[in-house]
Amino acid sequence: MQSRARRSNDERSATTRQALVSASRALFVEKGYAQTSTPEVVAAAAVTRGALYHHFEDKQALLRAVLEREFAELRRAIDQATPPALGAREALIAGSLAYLDAMAVPGRTRLLLVDGPAVFGHAEMMALDEASAAGSLREGLAALLGDGPLVPALASLLSAAFDRAALAISTGGDAKAYRAAMLALIERVTAGAGR
């Protein structure tokens, strides 16, 4: 009986936390992080202010939870596009396209490439990204080129190019052209490797 009550409390807590993260995401995308207030989040999630502060220390903690979920979804999309059966070059190409596709989810570019860095700074965003797309790109390059000393810098530079492409696409840039340009860049960088 007590374990059922505990499970029920845990489920309610998880549901409340999820509602807060989902409401925050929607508001951050619609209004921007700076223009969103915690009372608006509480109202949108249909929870009490006490529930908000039970789960999150402040609005920054809410944003971090949103970003962690976005990065996890981004990594999931890349992983789904790159099954272990693919060769290193094919996986790098498929993962690159999956990144651009996943960044096309409405609001994701704003969250991960505009508001997140503005609030947390470059170093902290890179740490969050390491478990996601940046880590996946570095792993893909290492699989194709070997784990040499240039791979981390190369992954960082390519990651920046991917982010710029995602930003350009999100503001109306030609998605087809940016996809082709990124694939050409990957091809040039990895030319002769793994053949």
Side-chain angles (χ1 to χ4, degrees):
M1 181 82 139
Q2 190 174 14
S3 95
R4 191 174 339 149
R6 177 74 178 150
R7 183 174 46 224
S8 178
N9 284 340
D10 289 347
E11 289 168 359
R12 266 195 307 277
S13 182
T15 299
T16 299
R17 182 179 170 80
Q18 187 69 294
L20 286 162
V21 172
S22 295
S24 296
R25 185 198 191 280
L27 288 166
F28 294 159
V29 168
E30 176 189 342
K31 300 177 70 174
Y33 172 79
Q35 286 73 38
T36 299
S37 68
T38 55
E40 290 172 305
V41 171
V42 167
V47 300
T48 66
R49 194 163 176 81
L52 167 69
Y53 290 110
H54 172 75
H55 291 281
F56 299 99
E57 181 181 338
D58 55 20
K59 191 169 77 165
Q60 274 193 358
L62 273 170
L63 179 59
R64 177 181 293 284
V66 169
L67 296 176
E68 287 171 349
R69 188 171 80 176
E70 294 297 311
F71 276 126
E73 290 175 6
L74 188 58
R75 181 63 188 238
R76 194 168 17 263
I78 293 169
D79 287 347
Q80 287 175 351
T82 57
L86 284 182
R89 179 176 299 285
E90 293 78 16
L92 191 56
I93 290 168
S96 297
L97 294 175
Y99 170 82
L100 292 174
D101 290 343
M103 289 301 285
V105 169
R108 185 165 288 158
T109 299
R110 178 180 188 156
L111 291 166
L112 296 181
L113 302 179
V114 179
D115 285 348
V119 173
F120 293 110
H122 178 73
E124 198 163 340
M125 288 301 292
M126 289 303 298
L128 287 170
D129 191 18
E130 184 56 32
S132 177
S136 178
L137 179 59
R138 186 182 34 71
E139 292 161 12
L141 288 169
L144 188 60
L145 302 174
D147 206 10
L150 293 180
V151 168
L154 187 56
S156 178
L157 292 171
L158 284 172
S159 181
F162 275 108
D163 290 350
R164 289 298 296 253
L167 282 166
I169 292 168
S170 76
T171 58
D174 183 348
K176 187 175 179 181
Y178 278 98
R179 288 167 67 89
M182 289 309 304
L183 291 181
L185 184 57
I186 291 288
E187 183 60 36
R188 290 296 287 270
V189 166
T190 62
R195 294 189 189 258

